Amino acid sequence: MLYPDDSTTMGRELRLKQQYFFVSASLQDILFRHRKHHTGFDDLPDKVAIQLNDTHPAIAIPELMRLLMDVHDIGWDAAWDICRRTFSYTNHTVMPEALETWPVALVEEMLPRHMRIIYEINRRFLDEVRHRNPGDLDLVRRVSLIDETGGRRLRMANLAIVGSHTVNGVAQLHTDIIRETIFADFHRLDPDKIINITNGVTPRRWLNQANKPLSDLICLHIGEGWLRDLRELRGLEPLAEDAGFREAFQEAKQSNKERLAGLIDSRLGIRVDAASLFDVQVKRIHEYKRQLLNLLHVVHLHDRMCADPGAAWVPRTVIFSGKAAPGYDMAKRIIKLIHDVADVINHDPRINGLLKLVFIPNYDVSTAADIIPAADLSEQISTAGTEASGTGNMKLSLNGALTIGTLDGANVEIAEAVGEENMFVFGLRREEVKRLHDEDYDPMRFIQSSRALANVLRKIHDGYFSPTELERHRPVVEDLMGEDRYLVCADFEAYLAAQERVAELYRQPEIWTHRAILNVARMGGFSSDRAVHEYAKRVWNVQKNLEAVEQEFHGGQFVHGMQQLAQNPDLLQFVGLGEQFLAAGAELKGSN
Ligand SMILES: *Cc1c(COP(=O)(O)O)cnc(C)c1O
């Protein structure tokens, strides 16, 4: 229902309406509940913590100011103090185009009162900046909530930082990067404000529920303690040396692979060999995540196999899944290209089924839970410095896949935890990426020095995979030959070499399995329990034990709010949720 196509003015307006609608409903609910047990709002920050999950709900800052001042008659200073002690903000990306900015004219038109409040927040904030940094006009321009270059725009990240007591990045490398780049000025103004809390994943869903065969095997050997304290997985480490355990571990993986092969056959009508290496890249389709790098390797492999089908190839099934944002043209081209390459490879009699390529549609959490337990190889190949954390990387390693990856996001910390020798690390480091960009990166240099890359790009360019429309994939290839913003060409040869190491190791199942077990055993630090406890202690200042807090959370309030909304079809229509929202509500009613 959410995230409409924001490539049009109408889509962008709808998006801002949705953001404001949910934010306002949540804040009014929070204040209503607080008033039932307390007089006034002075102690709101002691009882309530509001975590801004990215900048999308940042309009909550002026909205809480509005509610406190206009509805509850609190003065500016007291209201601002309550806000700043209640809000904190998690940054999830360093992509400049993903940092939300709204045209001031649009906010003015839709939320005029909020725009006045934002101006006043900005005036007071910039006064303080000027007072502490006299004469530094450029600093004032950079940290202002309003971008005055070109059409005036409201910078939601700046608003979120100024209105929060704590800001966090989601992996150590990512936090280092935001301190040094996009938020460097704010970091200098307040060096204690930006902290790191590395993401985690829940072991209940991503291991116990998603992977029964492995979960049962683990419980058999170390009990059930790991379900609540994932660090207990350490107990598996010695079992990596036990041939009997390795065999049982392999059997669990094999049964997951057979199950997924069955799903692929029934959903897509594609037969894959469950004994082949399952090479998996599942995540949103985005150029920075470099599904193209993976696909170029597939085309290369196909080419090599055709040239020498009798060689001792490791059979592979390459699995992609992921959605493209509605207005993201290049991402949709990449999906189309994957399908076209799959159509040729999967029907090529010359390679005798040695290589299969599968795109599983409609990637969501349920699909993820079907695919991840069956993976042998986890593709985490973003350009170094672009992936804030990643959590797919954690789910896959926790399920006994080996990672082929760059030193990016949480991959860095996963490598430290499981040991670099138990991963296939390749490619440019963050500093090298920065240097290439500074030196005016030219992809043609890398294409001219790699016959494999030149050959693969020529085949796609000339229509080998789109015989009915030879020019279809030229825009993708031309982008790689021209700008190649995410350095696919620069990392291609290193990626090929890493993939050769993968195939070599897969021929030695005992060593492969040994490393897979060590991956699982050493992933205990990547539980969402650890992450949530860090937020509780370092950000929300939660004193009492978390189980008591969990019991106090009344999920029922949300359903109650939904039912009330369902009785106001005009409002739902206004925020673009009309029929879909009512249908979802009806479904909720029928479930528990
Ligand atoms: C875990 C997960 C993601 C995040 O994957 P990344 O590889 O970290 O980008 C995205 N979508 C779904 C459905 C997931 O389960």
Side-chain angles (χ1 to χ4, degrees):
M1 283 181 273
L2 300 182
Y3 289 14
D5 185 351
D6 59 0
S7 63
T8 65
T9 307
M10 235 179 61
R12 281 190 291 272
E13 280 180 18
L14 185 56
R15 192 174 168 133
L16 184 57
K17 276 184 202 167
Q18 290 184 342
Q19 292 180 353
Y20 176 62
F21 173 75
F22 286 112
V23 155
S24 183
S26 302
L27 288 178
Q28 290 183 59
D29 183 56
I30 287 168
L31 296 188
F32 170 77
R33 283 200 249 172
H34 186 82
R35 282 244 290 202
K36 283 205 285 194
H37 306 288
H38 307 86
T39 48
F41 294 105
D42 289 344
D43 59 348
L44 189 79
D46 304 326
K47 304 293 176 188
V48 170
I50 302 178
Q51 191 71 34
L52 299 173
N53 190 20
D54 216 325
T55 58
H56 312 147
I59 197 72
I61 291 166
E63 172 67 358
L64 183 57
M65 286 296 283
R66 183 188 71 84
L67 291 168
L68 292 176
M69 293 191 303
D70 299 1
V71 179
H72 299 285
D73 260 347
I74 296 172
W76 180 282
D77 289 327
W80 184 241
D81 182 62
I82 291 170
C83 271
R84 288 262 307 214
R85 293 196 294 126
T86 300
F87 286 110
S88 43
Y89 158 56
T90 304
N91 172 271
H92 288 276
T93 174
V94 289
M95 301 273 138
E97 67 270 30
L99 284 185
E100 280 186 312
T101 63
W102 292 105
V104 169
L106 173 65
V107 182
E108 185 84 59
E109 158 86 19
M110 205 178 289
L111 300 166
R113 175 63 178 139
H114 295 77
M115 203 59 235
R116 302 319 303 166
I117 292 172
I118 290 165
Y119 279 136
E120 184 59 14
I121 294 172
N122 200 31
R123 188 188 68 76
R124 289 169 181 246
F125 169 61
L126 293 183
D127 274 352
E128 192 193 314
V129 172
R130 278 190 212 95
H131 180 73
R132 288 176 43 192
N133 305 269
D136 197 343
L137 291 179
D138 219 51
L139 173 68
V140 172
R141 256 195 296 278
R142 290 195 305 266
V143 299
S144 172
L145 305 193
I146 313 289
D147 180 356
E148 308 274 0
T149 58
R152 304 177 73 229
R153 299 181 77 90
L154 171 58
R155 294 165 168 154
M156 300 309 270
N158 294 26
L159 174 62
I161 297 171
V162 171
S164 294
H165 56 82
T166 305
V167 174
N168 78 284
V170 289
Q172 191 57 57
L173 177 72
H174 168 62
T175 298
D176 295 343
I177 290 173
I178 62 178
R179 283 175 175 162
E180 288 168 31
T181 62
I182 53 174
F183 300 152
D185 290 320
F186 292 103
H187 183 51
R188 264 192 300 274
L189 290 172
D190 189 349
D192 297 327
K193 193 165 191 170
I194 303 178
I195 67 169
N196 176 251
I197 300 183
T198 299
N199 277 162
V201 298
T202 165
R204 269 80 62 191
R205 177 178 294 274
W206 293 111
L207 188 49
N208 181 55
Q209 287 170 232
N211 192 346
K212 270 284 156 246
L214 181 56
S215 177
D216 288 347
L217 179 66
I218 293 170
C219 287
L220 191 66
H221 285 84
I222 63 167
E224 296 185 346
W226 61 273
L227 286 164
R228 283 178 163 273
D229 181 358
L230 198 61
R231 290 170 304 182
E232 291 195 12
L233 287 180
R234 273 278 167 191
L236 294 173
E237 221 176 294
L239 292 162
E241 313 298 332
D242 177 337
F245 183 79
R246 284 200 301 270
E247 193 184 331
F249 188 93
Q250 278 173 353
E251 277 169 17
K253 178 63 74 182
Q254 196 53 37
S255 75
N256 294 327
K257 289 170 71 175
E258 275 156 22
R259 180 169 171 273
L260 179 60
L263 287 176
I264 290 170
D265 189 15
S266 65
R267 285 187 209 168
L268 309 177
I270 301 172
R271 291 282 177 82
V272 304
D273 173 9
S276 64
L277 190 171
F278 276 23
D279 177 349
V280 169
Q281 187 171 20
V282 287
K283 48 186 75 255
R284 283 174 301 115
I285 311 293
H286 200 294
E287 287 164 282
Y288 86 78
K289 292 173 180 283
R290 298 201 294 193
Q291 279 92 357
L292 273 179
L293 181 58
N294 184 349
L295 190 68
L296 297 185
H297 169 250
V298 174
V299 172
H300 171 77
L301 210 52
H302 173 249
D303 193 77
R304 299 314 308 139
M305 284 172 167
C306 288
D308 188 6
W313 297 103
V314 171
R316 261 194 213 236
T317 301
V318 179
I319 298 167
F320 284 97
S321 193
K323 288 170 180 165
Y328 190 172
D329 181 78
M330 186 55 82
K332 295 195 170 197
R333 288 186 181 280
I334 293 168
I335 295 176
K336 182 66 178 165
L337 178 57
I338 296 172
H339 280 89
D340 280 356
V341 172
D343 279 343
V344 170
I345 289 181
N346 294 344
H347 300 108
D348 190 337
R350 292 173 296 178
I351 57 170
N352 197 24
L354 272 177
L355 180 63
K356 287 280 168 78
L357 176 55
V358 180
F359 189 102
I360 299 175
N362 199 27
Y363 186 57
D364 60 11
V365 168
S366 307
T367 328
D370 289 332
I371 299 171
I372 287 169
D376 293 307
L377 185 65
S378 163
E379 299 269 356
Q380 307 300 336
I381 59 178
S382 52
T383 318
T386 62
E387 185 75 89
S389 161
T391 53
N393 47 5
M394 300 169 190
K395 298 167 198 167
L396 281 148
S397 172
L398 182 65
N399 279 277
L402 299 192
T403 302
I404 182 168
T406 48
L407 287 179
D408 196 21
N411 295 355
V412 177
E413 288 154 82
I414 293 174
E416 281 167 13
V418 306
E420 231 183 279
E421 69 283 6
N422 298 309
M423 261 172 80
F424 302 97
V425 174
F426 76 96
L428 298 166
R429 310 286 198 263
R430 178 201 162 205
E431 290 73 24
E432 298 166 320
V433 167
K434 211 159 49 180
R435 197 174 325 129
L436 263 188
H437 278 307
D438 290 345
E439 290 168 1
D440 247 352
Y441 171 62
D442 176 15
M444 289 309 294
R445 240 185 62 213
F446 293 90
I447 296 170
Q448 279 155 4
S449 65
S450 166
R451 281 180 55 185
L453 178 57
N455 176 50
V456 160
L457 290 179
R458 185 190 45 73
K459 271 185 123 163
I460 299 170
H461 181 274
D462 292 353
Y464 185 90
F465 299 102
S466 52
T468 60
E469 189 189 347
L470 298 179
E471 314 85 68
R472 181 181 295 158
H473 299 298
R474 280 191 194 165
V476 174
V477 176
E478 278 161 9
D479 183 82
L480 291 181
M481 294 171 60
E483 186 182 9
D484 188 21
R485 182 170 158 199
Y486 297 106
L487 308 187
V488 170
C489 296
D491 266 342
F492 182 75
E493 281 290 332
Y495 182 59
L496 280 199
Q499 284 287 17
E500 275 173 28
R501 287 188 272 140
V502 168
E504 198 45 50
L505 195 75
Y506 198 72
R507 286 179 220 279
Q508 300 160 264
E510 291 304 306
I511 309 180
W512 181 286
T513 305
H514 185 270
R515 294 189 190 177
I517 294 167
L518 289 184
N519 266 261
V520 178
R522 295 174 178 178
M523 282 300 289
F526 298 91
S527 170
S528 51
D529 299 335
R530 188 267 312 146
V532 170
H533 276 89
E534 275 195 68
Y535 280 98
K537 206 171 151 165
R538 301 174 62 195
V539 184
W540 306 329
N541 196 25
V542 173
Q543 309 290 355
K544 52 185 162 179
N545 79 63
L546 279 174
E547 279 177 26
V549 175
E550 278 164 28
Q551 282 167 21
E552 272 180 44
F553 176 75
H554 303 294
Q557 290 271 346
F558 180 70
V559 175
H560 178 70
M562 296 247 297
Q563 282 165 350
Q564 289 210 320
L565 278 172
Q567 288 160 20
N568 192 341
D570 288 344
L571 177 57
L572 287 176
Q573 196 66 46
F574 181 69
V575 292
L577 297 175
E579 279 169 30
Q580 299 172 60
F581 193 86
L582 292 174
E587 221 170 278
L588 256 188
K589 246 186 189 170
S591 75
N592 290 325

